[in-house]
Amino acid sequence: MPEKNTILFTLHYLDNSERIHTFPGQYHSLMSLICDNLAIPGFGLCCGMGSCGTCLVQITGHHSTIKRNVLSCSILINDDLSNTDIFIPDKIY
């Protein structure tokens, strides 16, 4: 059985930062990982259908300070997330 690659990134919400250690395929999407790790009222209301926008996050790349807005339900948990910072807005609406 092949060894799983660990994916490491940081979630930022309100004044807290949490270092996440996960594996490819452990979660369906970034949204499901966030929902499992943080209790955020109103986050991901459409359950990953990409129709409500309540799972919006901002991602910064490996060596970049530019924040890219994305729906977390559309982001797969894979090596592309390694060493990124993911910012969850304190107001979703």
Side-chain angles (χ1 to χ4, degrees):
M1 181 188 236
E3 185 175 321
K4 294 181 178 181
N5 294 328
T6 302
I7 300 169
L8 304 170
F9 58 90
T10 305
L11 283 179
H12 302 273
Y13 179 61
L14 299 176
D15 292 328
N16 299 311
S17 295
E18 183 176 344
R19 189 77 171 146
I20 301 294
H21 300 253
T22 190
F23 303 99
Q26 186 174 3
Y27 292 94
H28 176 70
S29 67
L30 179 58
M31 184 197 78
S32 60
L33 181 147
I34 291 170
C35 288
D36 280 357
N37 285 277
L38 301 171
I40 302 173
F43 188 85
L45 289 176
C46 71
C47 300
M49 301 300 291
S51 61
C52 70
T54 59
C55 68
L56 182 75
V57 297
Q58 296 176 320
I59 298 178
T60 60
H62 305 283
H63 300 288
S64 175
T65 58
I66 298 171
K67 293 180 181 176
R68 178 173 53 105
N69 290 328
V70 296
L71 294 178
S72 62
C73 66
S74 67
I75 302 296
L76 298 176
I77 303 298
N78 58 32
D79 290 334
D80 291 342
L81 287 178
S82 290
N83 301 312
T84 61
D85 286 285
I86 299 167
F87 298 87
I88 304 164
D90 59 344
K91 294 182 182 176
I92 296 172
Y93 306 103

